[in-house]
């Protein structure tokens, strides 16, 4: 039986702590085949990294998350890529997406305070060449992120059940 890349990716996306052995049991494959396929996925940059999703509301050192909509003038011959690259190189930027609709880019950033986020927008983002306008939206409460439900009930932060 051929190891399903899709099954491996779905399982790892839900829980990056799963071992090749655990994945093999879940999808009915050999551990060595799963480990080999994971290595290929990493080499091909299909798997780009592993991480933990943190509920900062439960920590003293909270973080502010903002979504910034950005309207830009695309560069001749490069489209939106040149300005997107300049934006995503800032350490505050967690994600940058090309969007359809009224704005061209969506930028997700994190900071310690509202003022820090506002300073990023006014001092670093807005002055860039090609930026026509921005609209900043602050995340007030996370309910669900990356498949993880965040709430004040017992069991908060638990992942949903995994099924292949």
């Amino acid at each position: 039986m051929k190891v399903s890349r899709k099954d491996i990716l779905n399982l790892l996306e839900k829980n990056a702590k799963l071992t090749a052995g655990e994945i093999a049991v879940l999808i009915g494959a050999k551990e060595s085949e799963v480990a080999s396929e994971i290595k290929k996925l990493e080499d091909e940059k299909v798997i780009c990294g592993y991480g933990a999703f943190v509920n900062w509301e439960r920590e003293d050192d909270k973080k502010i998350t903002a979504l910034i909509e950005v309207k830009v003038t695309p560069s001749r011959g490069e489209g939106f890529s040149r300005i997107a690259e300049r934006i995503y190189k800032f350490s505050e930027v967690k994600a940058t997406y090309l969007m359809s609709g009224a704005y061209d880019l969506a930028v997700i950033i994190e900071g310690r305070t509202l003022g820090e986020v506002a300073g990023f927008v006014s001092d670093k983002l807005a002055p860039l060449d090609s930026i026509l306008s921005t609209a900043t939206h602050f995340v007030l409460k996370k309910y669900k992120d990356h498949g993880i439900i965040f709430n004040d009930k017992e069991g908060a932060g638990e992942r949903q059940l995994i099924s292949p």
Side-chain angles (χ1 to χ4, degrees):
M1 179 182 143
K2 185 170 174 11
V3 176
S4 168
R5 291 166 63 106
K6 182 179 176 184
D7 288 344
I8 292 170
L9 292 170
N10 282 330
L11 289 168
L12 285 174
E13 189 174 45
K14 290 177 183 164
N15 185 353
K17 288 179 66 175
L18 288 174
T19 65
E22 292 168 330
I23 293 170
V25 169
L26 288 168
I27 66 173
K30 293 181 182 174
E31 181 177 351
S32 60
E33 292 173 340
V34 170
S36 174
E37 197 60 39
I38 290 171
K39 174 76 170 102
K40 286 180 194 172
L41 290 163
E42 291 169 344
D43 291 345
E44 295 169 10
K45 302 292 185 215
V46 174
I47 296 176
C48 301
Y50 300 89
F53 298 105
V54 178
N55 184 352
W56 288 103
E57 290 297 313
R58 293 182 175 256
E59 281 296 308
D60 293 334
D61 186 23
K62 296 183 183 1
K63 290 186 179 181
I64 303 293
T65 303
L67 181 144
I68 306 165
E69 296 173 313
V70 183
K71 199 176 281 192
V72 303
T73 302
S75 301
R76 184 175 299 246
E78 295 180 336
F80 297 98
S81 297
R82 184 183 64 78
I83 189 65
E85 181 179 359
R86 288 189 66 196
I87 293 169
Y88 70 61
K89 285 186 174 181
F90 288 114
S91 62
E92 297 90 341
V93 175
K94 300 302 172 198
T96 306
Y97 306 102
L98 179 62
M99 304 296 291
S100 63
Y103 287 85
D104 303 307
L105 300 172
V107 179
I108 309 290
I109 71 163
E110 287 182 350
R112 290 182 311 238
T113 65
L114 295 174
E116 188 175 286
V117 171
F120 169 81
V121 174
S122 65
D123 300 340
K124 293 182 179 179
L125 185 61
L128 291 175
D129 293 339
S130 303
I131 302 287
L132 299 175
S133 65
T134 64
T136 303
H137 309 276
F138 290 98
V139 174
L140 302 177
K141 180 173 178 60
K142 278 187 189 179
Y143 292 102
K144 185 175 182 177
D145 190 8
H146 290 86
I148 300 168
I149 297 170
F150 293 87
N151 61 30
D152 295 333
K153 297 177 186 169
E154 195 172 318
E158 291 183 1
R159 293 181 176 268
Q160 295 174 331
L161 292 177
I162 298 173
S163 59

